[in-house]
Amino acid sequence: MEKPYCIQIFIIFISIAVFIFGCSTSTTRQAFANTHRNTNIQSSPIIDTPVHNSNHHLTNTPLHPLDPLTVPEINKIRSILAAYEPFSLSFPSINTLSLDEPEKSQVLSWKKGDPLPPRKASITSVLDGQTHLLVVDLDLNVVTGHVVSIGSGYPMLTTEDQTTALEVLYKDLEFNKSIIARGVDFNDLVCGSSSPGWFGPDEEGKRIVKVQCFSGQNTPNYYMRPIEGLTATVDVDKREVVKITDTGRDIPIPKETNTDYLYKTQSQFPYNSETNPMSMEQPKGPSFTVENGHTVKWANWVFHIKPDIRAGMIISQAMIRAENGEYRSVMYKGFASEVFVPYMDPDQAWYFKTYMDVGEYGLGATAMPLLELNDCPRYSYYMDGVFASADGRPFIRPNIICIFERYAGDIGWRHSEIPAMGFDLRESRPKVTLVARMVASVGNYDYIFDWEFQTDGVIRIKVGLSGMLLVKGTPYENIYNISNTEDMTGTLVSENVIGVVHDHYISFYLDMDIDGPNNSFAEVNLVKEETSPGQSPRKSYLKAKRKVAKTENDAKIKLSLYDPSEFHVFNPARRSRLGNPTGYKIVPGGTAASLLDCDDTPQIRAAVTNNQES
Amino acid sequence: MEKPYCIQIFIIFISIAVFIFGCSTSTTRQAFANTHRNTNIQSSPIIDTPVHNSNHHLTNTPLHPLDPLTVPEINKIRSILAAYEPFSLSFPSINTLSLDEPEKSQVLSWKKGDPLPPRKASITSVLDGQTHLLVVDLDLNVVTGHVVSIGSGYPMLTTEDQTTALEVLYKDLEFNKSIIARGVDFNDLVCGSSSPGWFGPDEEGKRIVKVQCFSGQNTPNYYMRPIEGLTATVDVDKREVVKITDTGRDIPIPKETNTDYLYKTQSQFPYNSETNPMSMEQPKGPSFTVENGHTVKWANWVFHIKPDIRAGMIISQAMIRAENGEYRSVMYKGFASEVFVPYMDPDQAWYFKTYMDVGEYGLGATAMPLLELNDCPRYSYYMDGVFASADGRPFIRPNIICIFERYAGDIGWRHSEIPAMGFDLRESRPKVTLVARMVASVGNYDYIFDWEFQTDGVIRIKVGLSGMLLVKGTPYENIYNISNTEDMTGTLVSENVIGVVHDHYISFYLDMDIDGPNNSFAEVNLVKEETSPGQSPRKSYLKAKRKVAKTENDAKIKLSLYDPSEFHVFNPARRSRLGNPTGYKIVPGGTAASLLDCDDTPQIRAAVTNNQES
């Protein structure tokens, strides 16, 4: 298949089952879960948080075809939309508003100094329960595309959608009775509006959320104090409560004891570290530069990077310098395309927890400012996100991406010769890499995304999971009370608290353009060969057999330990000195298969996880 | 199974097939292979290389039951052996000589200040073609155990064995003719004695090596200039050449062009880095101490560490401090137990390359001094190896282990709250860990072994592969010359050079003693459950089902992606506050199954790789 080619690959996180032993001192350290409580995310226009050079946003102009929309551009789009006839009576709610990227060919042919290709915005908005997909041309000052969506799916939840759900619920009499019955003071009530999953016709055609609540009494870690079994289904378009389920009145709200995570309240090691201070030292400063706010140059790499409301961080046009000094294309675009997090509990209050964090909440929308020195080392460069809120106004989320050089005491390459025959050699080169990091706090969960670039050409994507567990209340205080622990859907991790079994499937979009856009995909099977009689004292050996995918379907991969393969993306038209095609090997990190039934609605929705690459 | 329990686990390296594309600029950076050329390893008694406090070795006394044998102890053992009647005529060749560790119970009951349990040495030696296994009691000054081995297997090759093989070969007329026929100047000849594998009766009962040679003309990287097809089989006990195979006279010796790896000869990036200097900064110094040369205390950890001629580095009695200040046992002993490296080429000159680097060469025996700042960061503590050479005399290999604190700019734990309901929290804690590192240069290959300790209780074992490829000569200069690339057993990586497909299976011995020696092993299967009709809108979910191994056989694990499991070692008698048993989860890193035929001799010998844990 020699045509432009993209890969969806999983780097799968297997925090599948959480078994917390007494020996593990890290209960609150184990990343775990999702309440997806995203109310009141910063959405005021142009916040005045002290940010390095934040004022430049007010007058910023794009300088590269892929640069994100600027504050002036977003303001202009808002004016265009406000003047657009179909919205003259009522301005729609903006769910996403971002650059409609030019065609790849336009981007590739653009050179520094050229005028930018036409700037366009792609907008998803809701008006009167209908989803409008719009394209605005910023040069022509008009809406050039407008489709009312009648297909499946819903736009990303806005902060306002989520706040609406809570406002509606807080006025509901039945809900108020339930809260009083649980003995929770309204001042301590913390509620979050959670995506409802997709379970066929019952809730279809409605934009709904499931609201669940916690007690924030005496703790910052209300996630550990669920009001179990109370679930309100709220229609955010109709602004009405659809249903309230209240099944867990016999389940106590877990106490706040032992689950406060604040450093200042931790007297115990390891929460309070006993180690001496430590940092990176770069006496001459870092070796990378960021040109025009988005183009990173470091060692032999250059790439474009930008925050994105949905993907969090998009790396584009990654190129590596060849021996003749020219930059060679490696990847046109790469980003986290989806995060699927199904919880494994069929209970009324839990069955729907089958989150798709990227499409439902947005990794950029949930990225909070990084903490200097703790989230990123010294000499980091920080980048702000410029996004649009539901009313179409721009806002700035400061410091959501950091870029830094990493030295971890590791060895890049080394060799020692044995001192014989005159070869008394020891050579070792320390490893220094470049990291671009963003962290999405999707409710209780913090996903740390690192893209790491090595001078030898390797690009490494790492995802760290941190934050708090999503837990289920239970009447049990210890496992001796439990008659059959086999019935539990998770592990008792504190008194009255169960950590429910779940998975995280993280999939990445990688549009590799190795030495140009025409790349192929090969599966290289490692196959056992038998020797013929008398050929060798060996009976067997393994051989690499290369199969080039002719169709996209050929490139769907189910990983197998006992029938292993490598996966190569290569450019058949570009050859090395020896005649080998240029290419990259795609190496999955943690790997896992989804065990859900293929016909189960969450798995149908997350069918991308049926294969490990596609 | 509630009895003392050890685990063999693989952390398997899958550098299975090496496909070097033109785009990869790292040909000589890719770790690859093994010629196992170990001649003339440092074996002179007490070298005078400048080492921090190296003189203390001369008078060193052991202070912990597990401390390795000291210089005075090795000298004493030599005297005891020299006076031992069976060796009165001829001193045997010492293959390994190391501490015969006391029983675990003796070690566990020992306290600082107590006299040490009796010091004993375990010795493997060869005399007149027979293998003698000896135990020497250093308190009683006698040999207390002496068995002549009649079982299968051979002792580790000594430097002297390997040197002997070369001496014998260099005198062989046929060999000399072959070298002259290849046009190699004897001054450029570099030969290595390689272990022969095991292929049934033909070579059985003889201690043989396979010698192969390279041209070192105009390059330090003679590994890239093989004299292909020339293989000498030498009996090291009988000191005679058994067979010479010379099949590759039509294969040119690859040129030295493009394969010199020396930094000083590299003008091209990435070999010559363009990045600014960078290091760790610890203004108050590191936070760990090393007591009595072997007991490391850092943060909440304490453990004993020592160099070992075979395993390279042994970690013992790793304990973590509990909240009440007491140390709790985690692991009694952990080390790399074997490295199996089968090459996948049935050719006469290649079939036998099925190395077992630990048992054949020794990771400690091939560990060369670490390069300060390049192999290990600033503030590292270095530890010397004290070993015995074939004549029983002690020698010191300086700086073969380094211990350092690592800060990689990573996040230990973090969480951002969404600024709602008064919870405007951002907390992030940088990750600092402790690393113990040793590097074994088993011929062309450098294995970097890191044991990393985290304050949250995690122990992480990492293995990095570096050094040079083991390559096969070929008449082909580029792939256009090759009629059928399917026939190749590897990839053309330079002119006349094939990188042969191979695997690295690295297995670890982990004797976990979690809160005491009586631990159990559980396989936790993740199993799909179907909901009953009407129970839930969900059709399926997965459940963790725990199966405690009753026999060692139960604990043999074949990993499966589609029938996944977790692996827990736990102490059923020690419970947390909630009643959960204390334990650790064993998480395999890279995983792979051996595809060799189970009846093939290399696989029979490396049967430990049939399962991923056992």
Side-chain angles (χ1 to χ4, degrees):
Chain A
M1 195 177 59
E2 298 187 14
K3 61 187 189 92
Y5 197 69
C6 305
I7 297 174
Q8 284 282 124
I9 185 173
F10 293 115
I11 295 191
I12 295 168
F13 256 84
I14 328 163
S15 116
I16 298 181
V18 176
F19 297 85
I20 297 186
F21 296 114
C23 189
S24 164
T25 49
S26 61
T27 309
T28 61
R29 288 195 165 211
Q30 292 221 8
F32 199 177
N34 259 315
T35 54
H36 298 266
R37 182 174 163 285
N38 294 340
T39 51
N40 290 355
I41 291 176
Q42 176 61 49
S43 62
S44 58
I46 309 295
I47 62 164
D48 56 359
T49 318
V51 189
H52 317 295
N53 310 317
S54 70
N55 288 336
H56 75 93
H57 290 300
L58 298 174
T59 53
N60 211 8
T61 50
L63 295 163
H64 184 285
L66 299 175
D67 278 355
L69 295 171
T70 63
V71 166
E73 285 181 321
I74 294 172
N75 281 324
K76 189 172 177 186
I77 292 159
R78 193 174 186 278
S79 307
I80 295 167
L81 288 181
Y84 183 51
E85 202 272 326
F87 300 147
S88 58
L89 290 178
S90 181
F91 194 82
S93 166
I94 305 296
N95 295 71
T96 59
L97 184 159
S98 54
L99 180 73
D100 188 21
E101 290 190 0
E103 290 295 315
K104 191 193 279 191
S105 57
Q106 285 181 292
V107 176
L108 293 180
S109 62
W110 180 85
K111 276 171 217 69
K112 213 168 156 177
D114 288 354
L116 292 185
R119 296 283 286 176
K120 292 179 187 173
S122 171
I123 298 143
T124 306
S125 63
V126 171
L127 186 63
D128 301 332
Q130 283 190 314
T131 302
H132 298 256
L133 307 173
L134 300 142
V135 177
V136 168
D137 189 310
L138 279 152
D139 296 319
L140 304 177
N141 281 316
V142 288
V143 173
T144 53
H146 184 175
V147 174
V148 176
S149 169
I150 49 165
S152 59
Y154 304 97
M156 231 169 80
L157 285 168
T158 63
T159 302
E160 290 73 9
D161 289 336
Q162 299 174 64
T163 311
T164 296
L166 299 190
E167 283 169 9
V168 168
L169 184 64
Y170 289 164
K171 291 178 194 149
D172 186 272
L173 193 63
E174 190 183 344
F175 174 77
N176 277 273
K177 278 184 186 165
S178 291
I179 295 300
I180 291 165
R182 303 284 190 129
V184 175
D185 189 309
F186 278 90
N187 291 319
D188 294 326
L189 190 66
V190 189
C191 297
S193 43
S194 191
S195 62
W198 171 65
F199 293 89
D202 267 12
E203 294 170 345
E204 196 129 347
K206 302 178 186 125
R207 284 216 310 141
I208 59 165
V209 294
K210 301 276 192 182
V211 182
Q212 295 187 318
C213 303
F214 304 85
S215 166
Q217 193 186 24
N218 301 328
T219 183
N221 193 0
Y222 55 84
Y223 291 110
M224 294 302 121
R225 308 198 67 193
I227 301 172
E228 190 57 45
L230 177 62
T231 311
T233 308
V234 179
D235 186 319
V236 289
D237 285 332
K238 294 197 177 153
R239 303 178 64 91
E240 65 182 30
V241 175
V242 177
K243 188 169 72 171
I244 289 182
T245 319
D246 189 2
T247 56
R249 293 204 183 179
D250 54 330
I251 300 173
I253 296 170
K255 294 194 179 64
E256 71 275 15
T257 328
N258 295 318
T259 55
D260 178 353
Y261 59 77
L262 289 188
Y263 186 81
K264 63 183 178 197
T265 60
Q266 299 292 334
S267 59
Q268 287 297 342
F269 191 82
Y271 307 110
N272 252 335
S273 170
E274 288 173 7
T275 53
N276 292 341
M278 191 163 186
S279 72
M280 303 286 188
E281 179 58 29
Q282 302 192 269
K284 293 185 178 174
S287 320
F288 66 89
T289 57
V290 183
E291 283 181 11
N292 298 329
H294 294 285
T295 299
V296 179
K297 289 190 176 178
W298 172 76
N300 45 349
W301 280 101
V302 60
F303 59 88
H304 185 274
I305 182 170
K306 64 179 165 185
D308 182 79
I309 194 79
R310 182 181 165 116
M313 176 165 73
I314 296 177
I315 311 280
S316 301
Q317 288 194 286
M319 295 186 283
I320 194 163
R321 197 166 63 247
E323 290 173 16
N324 63 7
E326 276 177 28
Y327 279 102
R328 295 171 67 178
S329 164
V330 171
M331 183 181 76
Y332 182 69
K333 188 147 66 163
F335 58 85
S337 51
E338 195 49 274
V339 177
F340 176 47
V341 191
Y343 283 79
M344 299 302 174
D345 192 318
D347 194 278
Q348 264 303 312
W350 281 79
Y351 77 89
F352 56 86
K353 293 179 182 175
T354 55
Y355 302 108
M356 300 186 86
D357 287 334
V358 177
E360 291 173 344
Y361 299 96
L363 299 181
T366 57
M368 295 294 120
L370 294 161
L371 281 168
E372 293 188 40
L373 298 183
N374 285 14
D375 277 329
C376 311
R378 282 164 81 190
Y379 305 105
S380 290
Y381 174 94
Y382 291 88
M383 194 177 285
D384 303 342
V386 177
F387 301 133
S389 57
D391 62 2
R393 291 182 205 278
F395 72 92
I396 292 166
R397 183 74 54 72
N399 294 10
I400 62 170
I401 290 177
C402 70
I403 297 164
F404 60 91
E405 265 175 306
R406 187 207 301 269
Y407 167 62
D410 286 332
I411 300 168
W413 179 86
R414 67 105 58 213
H415 179 61
S416 284
E417 269 301 314
I418 308 306
M421 313 299 286
F423 291 104
D424 183 13
L425 291 173
R426 285 185 291 154
E427 285 234 346
S428 181
R429 293 158 207 174
K431 183 174 179 176
V432 174
T433 60
L434 187 82
V435 177
R437 172 175 294 166
M438 62 86 48
V439 181
S441 297
V442 195
N444 57 312
Y445 235 129
D446 296 60
Y447 293 94
I448 303 160
F449 286 87
D450 279 4
W451 284 69
E452 187 172 20
F453 294 83
Q454 297 186 188
T455 54
D456 61 3
V458 170
I459 304 175
R460 197 183 299 276
I461 308 172
K462 296 182 193 167
V463 188
L465 300 184
S466 196
M468 248 73 57
L469 307 175
L470 183 64
V471 299
K472 184 176 182 178
T474 172
Y476 303 116
E477 296 207 332
N478 59 61
I479 69 162
Y480 308 114
N481 299 150
I482 304 171
S483 55
N484 188 2
T485 53
E486 293 280 303
D487 288 344
M488 294 173 73
T489 54
T491 302
L492 196 71
V493 295
S494 189
E495 285 83 356
N496 307 111
V497 175
I498 290 173
V500 175
V501 171
H502 66 285
D503 292 284
H504 296 257
Y505 299 91
I506 301 168
S507 84
F508 286 89
Y509 172 102
L510 302 177
D511 181 359
M512 302 301 290
D513 271 10
I514 297 156
D515 279 328
N518 291 320
N519 285 187
S520 293
F521 180 85
E523 184 178 359
V524 182
N525 269 100
L526 303 172
V527 181
K528 184 173 83 172
E529 297 274 298
E530 310 267 350
T531 55
S532 42
Q535 183 195 353
S536 171
R538 280 276 278 278
K539 271 187 165 177
S540 60
Y541 60 106
L542 70 86
K543 208 157 176 175
K545 301 208 167 177
R546 200 152 173 274
K547 201 179 72 187
V548 178
K550 292 201 168 49
T551 66
E552 293 221 5
N553 211 42
D554 280 357
K556 284 185 183 167
I557 301 299
K558 284 193 194 294
L559 291 178
S560 170
L561 190 64
Y562 303 99
D563 179 18
S565 303
E566 292 193 347
F567 310 105
H568 298 180
V569 180
F570 65 100
N571 188 329
R574 282 290 296 266
R575 302 288 179 137
S576 74
R577 187 179 88 229
L578 307 168
N580 291 310
T582 63
Y584 263 71
K585 186 162 91 169
I586 310 282
V587 183
T591 54
S594 175
L595 298 186
L596 291 182
D597 201 297
C598 276
D599 298 332
D600 205 354
T601 42
Q603 191 60 35
I604 292 171
R605 203 165 64 120
V608 65
T609 63
N610 289 347
N611 304 294
Q612 280 86 42
E613 288 187 40
S614 61
Chain B
M1 196 177 57
E2 299 187 13
K3 62 185 187 94
Y5 196 71
C6 306
I7 297 173
Q8 284 283 125
I9 185 174
F10 294 116
I11 294 190
I12 297 168
F13 256 83
I14 327 162
S15 116
I16 297 180
V18 175
F19 297 85
I20 297 185
F21 295 115
C23 189
S24 164
T25 49
S26 60
T27 309
T28 61
R29 289 197 165 211
Q30 291 218 12
F32 198 178
N34 261 315
T35 53
H36 299 267
R37 183 173 162 287
N38 294 341
T39 50
N40 290 357
I41 291 176
Q42 176 59 51
S43 62
S44 58
I46 309 295
I47 62 164
D48 56 0
T49 319
V51 190
H52 317 295
N53 308 316
S54 69
N55 289 335
H56 75 93
H57 290 300
L58 297 175
T59 55
N60 212 7
T61 51
L63 295 162
H64 184 285
L66 299 175
D67 278 355
L69 295 172
T70 62
V71 166
E73 285 181 322
I74 294 171
N75 281 325
K76 191 172 176 186
I77 291 160
R78 193 173 184 280
S79 307
I80 295 167
L81 288 179
Y84 182 52
E85 202 271 328
F87 301 146
S88 56
L89 291 178
S90 181
F91 194 82
S93 167
I94 304 297
N95 295 70
T96 59
L97 184 158
S98 53
L99 180 72
D100 188 22
E101 290 192 1
E103 291 294 314
K104 190 194 278 190
S105 58
Q106 286 181 291
V107 176
L108 294 180
S109 63
W110 180 85
K111 277 172 216 69
K112 214 170 158 177
D114 289 355
L116 292 185
R119 295 283 287 177
K120 294 179 185 173
S122 172
I123 298 142
T124 306
S125 62
V126 171
L127 186 64
D128 299 333
Q130 283 191 311
T131 304
H132 297 257
L133 307 172
L134 301 142
V135 177
V136 167
D137 189 310
L138 280 152
D139 296 320
L140 303 176
N141 281 315
V142 291
V143 173
T144 54
H146 184 176
V147 174
V148 176
S149 171
I150 50 165
S152 59
Y154 304 96
M156 231 169 81
L157 286 167
T158 62
T159 301
E160 291 72 9
D161 290 335
Q162 298 176 62
T163 311
T164 296
L166 299 190
E167 284 169 8
V168 169
L169 185 63
Y170 290 165
K171 293 177 192 149
D172 187 272
L173 193 64
E174 189 183 347
F175 174 78
N176 279 273
K177 279 185 186 163
S178 291
I179 295 300
I180 291 164
R182 302 287 189 130
V184 176
D185 189 310
F186 279 90
N187 291 319
D188 293 326
L189 190 66
V190 189
C191 296
S193 44
S194 192
S195 63
W198 172 66
F199 293 89
D202 268 12
E203 294 170 345
E204 195 127 347
K206 302 177 187 125
R207 285 216 307 142
I208 59 164
V209 294
K210 301 275 193 183
V211 182
Q212 295 188 318
C213 303
F214 305 84
S215 165
Q217 193 186 21
N218 301 329
T219 183
N221 193 1
Y222 56 85
Y223 292 112
M224 294 303 118
R225 308 198 66 193
I227 301 172
E228 191 56 46
L230 176 61
T231 311
T233 308
V234 179
D235 187 319
V236 289
D237 284 332
K238 295 196 178 155
R239 303 177 65 93
E240 64 182 32
V241 174
V242 177
K243 188 171 71 173
I244 288 181
T245 319
D246 189 1
T247 56
R249 292 204 184 179
D250 54 331
I251 301 174
I253 295 171
K255 295 195 178 64
E256 70 275 16
T257 328
N258 294 318
T259 56
D260 177 354
Y261 58 78
L262 290 188
Y263 187 81
K264 63 183 178 197
T265 60
Q266 298 292 334
S267 59
Q268 288 297 342
F269 191 83
Y271 307 110
N272 252 336
S273 170
E274 290 174 5
T275 54
N276 292 340
M278 191 164 186
S279 73
M280 304 284 187
E281 179 59 28
Q282 303 192 268
K284 294 186 179 175
S287 319
F288 67 89
T289 58
V290 183
E291 284 181 11
N292 298 328
H294 294 285
T295 300
V296 179
K297 288 189 176 179
W298 173 76
N300 46 349
W301 280 100
V302 61
F303 59 88
H304 185 273
I305 182 170
K306 64 177 166 188
D308 182 78
I309 193 81
R310 182 182 165 115
M313 175 166 72
I314 297 178
I315 311 280
S316 302
Q317 287 196 286
M319 295 187 282
I320 194 163
R321 197 165 63 248
E323 290 175 15
N324 64 7
E326 278 176 26
Y327 279 103
R328 296 170 66 178
S329 164
V330 170
M331 184 180 77
Y332 182 70
K333 188 148 63 164
F335 58 85
S337 51
E338 196 48 273
V339 177
F340 175 48
V341 191
Y343 283 79
M344 300 303 175
D345 192 317
D347 194 277
Q348 265 303 313
W350 280 80
Y351 78 88
F352 56 86
K353 295 181 182 176
T354 55
Y355 301 109
M356 300 186 86
D357 286 334
V358 177
E360 291 175 343
Y361 299 96
L363 301 180
T366 57
M368 295 293 120
L370 294 161
L371 281 168
E372 294 188 39
L373 300 182
N374 284 16
D375 277 329
C376 311
R378 282 163 82 188
Y379 305 105
S380 289
Y381 174 95
Y382 292 88
M383 194 177 285
D384 302 342
V386 177
F387 302 133
S389 56
D391 62 3
R393 290 183 206 278
F395 71 93
I396 291 166
R397 183 74 54 72
N399 295 9
I400 62 169
I401 291 176
C402 70
I403 298 165
F404 60 91
E405 265 176 306
R406 187 208 302 267
Y407 167 62
D410 286 330
I411 300 169
W413 179 86
R414 67 105 58 212
H415 180 61
S416 284
E417 269 300 315
I418 309 305
M421 313 299 285
F423 291 103
D424 184 11
L425 291 174
R426 284 185 291 154
E427 285 232 346
S428 181
R429 292 158 209 174
K431 183 174 179 175
V432 175
T433 60
L434 187 82
V435 176
R437 171 175 295 166
M438 63 86 48
V439 181
S441 296
V442 194
N444 58 312
Y445 234 130
D446 296 61
Y447 293 95
I448 303 160
F449 285 88
D450 280 4
W451 284 69
E452 187 172 23
F453 294 83
Q454 297 186 187
T455 55
D456 62 2
V458 169
I459 304 175
R460 198 182 299 276
I461 309 172
K462 296 182 194 169
V463 188
L465 300 185
S466 198
M468 246 74 56
L469 306 175
L470 184 64
V471 300
K472 185 177 182 176
T474 172
Y476 303 115
E477 295 207 335
N478 59 59
I479 69 163
Y480 308 114
N481 299 151
I482 304 171
S483 56
N484 188 2
T485 53
E486 293 281 304
D487 287 344
M488 295 173 74
T489 55
T491 301
L492 196 71
V493 296
S494 189
E495 285 83 357
N496 306 111
V497 175
I498 290 173
V500 175
V501 171
H502 66 284
D503 291 284
H504 295 256
Y505 299 90
I506 302 167
S507 87
F508 285 88
Y509 172 100
L510 302 176
D511 181 359
M512 302 300 290
D513 271 10
I514 297 156
D515 280 328
N518 292 319
N519 285 187
S520 294
F521 179 83
E523 184 179 357
V524 182
N525 268 103
L526 302 172
V527 181
K528 184 173 82 172
E529 297 273 298
E530 309 266 351
T531 55
S532 42
Q535 183 196 351
S536 171
R538 281 277 276 278
K539 272 186 165 177
S540 61
Y541 59 106
L542 71 87
K543 209 158 176 174
K545 301 206 169 178
R546 202 154 172 272
K547 200 178 71 186
V548 178
K550 290 199 171 50
T551 66
E552 293 221 7
N553 211 43
D554 281 357
K556 284 185 182 166
I557 301 299
K558 284 194 194 292
L559 291 178
S560 169
L561 190 63
Y562 304 99
D563 178 17
S565 303
E566 292 193 348
F567 311 105
H568 298 178
V569 180
F570 66 100
N571 188 328
R574 282 290 296 266
R575 301 290 178 132
S576 74
R577 187 178 87 230
L578 307 169
N580 291 310
T582 64
Y584 263 72
K585 188 163 91 169
I586 310 282
V587 183
T591 53
S594 174
L595 298 186
L596 292 182
D597 201 298
C598 276
D599 298 333
D600 205 354
T601 41
Q603 190 61 33
I604 291 170
R605 203 165 64 119
V608 64
T609 63
N610 289 346
N611 304 293
Q612 281 85 43
E613 289 186 41
S614 61

